[in-house]
Amino acid sequence: MRRADRLFQIVQYLRGGRLTRARDLAEKLEVSERTIYRDVADLIGSGVPIEGEAGVGYVMRAGYDLPPLMFTREEIVALVAGARMARTWGGLDMARAADEALSKIEAVLPDALRSRIDNVRIHSVDFTGTDPVDRARLDLLEGAADRRTRVHFDYVDEKGQASVRLVRPLGLFFWGRTWTLTAWCERRDAFRNFRVDRMDAVRLGETFRDERDKTLAAYYEHYGRQMPR
């Protein structure tokens, strides 16, 4: 969990008006008590009305609510542009989620900032019409990577050679009209990249556990590259 998400959750847990121990918060958020003490101190320092102390518990005064989201013009441009690209080139579920995310952001923005969303001049257009089968395949592969599920598929490489693959999906990459899957190929016992539009008969297999030398971080380390954020 990102620290920003954890701070948000702490505020939500303390809004009930009941005394809550750091130990209980640590168990719910799966972090150490020391982390909770540090997070609460930072929240208090930023103006959140939390009362209490370590070893006793914390409570938040009634009536406090999180301030509305505030974004700069540049941040709004980045969010809208990214959502529009996901809507055009991403999976079907990804496209729906992009629209829903923009609606949620728009709903909580102050009136002065809300109009900026419609005024973003960056657009994403697909003149050729992306194959809905490929888009659905992206959702399946993204879900498999997230849930650590092996994937079987038929594949035709750039030389026209066909093969059947069993892989551990690690990440999807967009190259401007083309998506590739970075994976650990069980049959080649090595990292491989596959074009999603050259896959066929994609089906899920068994789950797997991360092994240190077969992760996306290991892939970047192997090729001497820096992990994207």
Side-chain angles (χ1 to χ4, degrees), residues 3 12 54 66 102 125 132 151 169 175 195 203:
R3 185 166 186 269
Q12 298 308 306
L66 292 173
L102 275 182
V125 181
V151 177
W175 301 91
R195 279 185 50 161
R203 59 258 187 217

Side-chain angles (χ1 to χ4, degrees), residues 3-165:
R3 185 166 186 269
D5 295 330
R6 190 173 67 245
L7 293 175
F8 177 83
Q9 290 296 330
I10 290 174
V11 171
Q12 298 308 306
Y13 285 132
L14 295 179
R15 289 178 65 183
R18 296 186 300 273
L19 192 69
T20 304
R21 298 178 303 172
R23 179 187 303 175
D24 297 329
L25 291 171
E27 290 178 356
K28 291 177 180 178
L29 298 172
E30 298 181 348
V31 296
S32 67
E33 290 184 48
R34 179 176 297 180
T35 297
I36 296 298
Y37 294 145
R38 184 170 59 248
D39 288 347
V40 170
D42 289 344
L43 286 169
I44 293 173
S46 65
V48 179
I50 297 174
E51 299 175 350
E53 59 183 278
V56 177
Y58 300 100
V59 66
M60 190 165 59
R61 291 198 298 271
Y64 177 78
D65 203 355
L66 292 173
L69 287 176
M70 297 294 288
F71 295 106
T72 65
R73 176 194 172 279
E74 290 75 17
E75 289 169 341
I76 290 176
V77 169
L79 288 169
V80 174
R84 288 175 178 173
M85 290 179 185
R87 185 170 54 198
T88 303
W89 298 103
L92 299 176
D93 291 342
M94 194 186 307
R96 284 190 290 268
D99 277 336
E100 292 171 3
L102 275 182
S103 297
K104 290 179 180 179
I105 292 172
E106 185 176 7
V108 298
L109 282 176
D111 293 338
L113 295 178
R114 194 172 298 141
S115 62
R116 291 185 180 178
I117 291 181
D118 293 330
N119 291 330
V120 173
R121 304 303 181 187
I122 297 178
H123 301 276
S124 180
V125 181
D126 179 12
F127 290 108
T128 60
T130 304
D131 189 342
V133 174
D134 287 343
R135 302 192 71 174
R137 190 175 297 145
L138 284 173
D139 290 327
L140 187 149
L141 293 172
E142 188 278 327
D146 182 58
R147 293 187 294 271
R148 307 292 194 275
T149 304
R150 289 181 176 86
V151 177
H152 302 257
F153 56 89
D154 300 335
Y155 192 71
V156 178
D157 65 18
E158 66 276 6
K159 297 179 181 179
Q161 296 180 338
S163 59
V164 178
R165 301 296 182 119

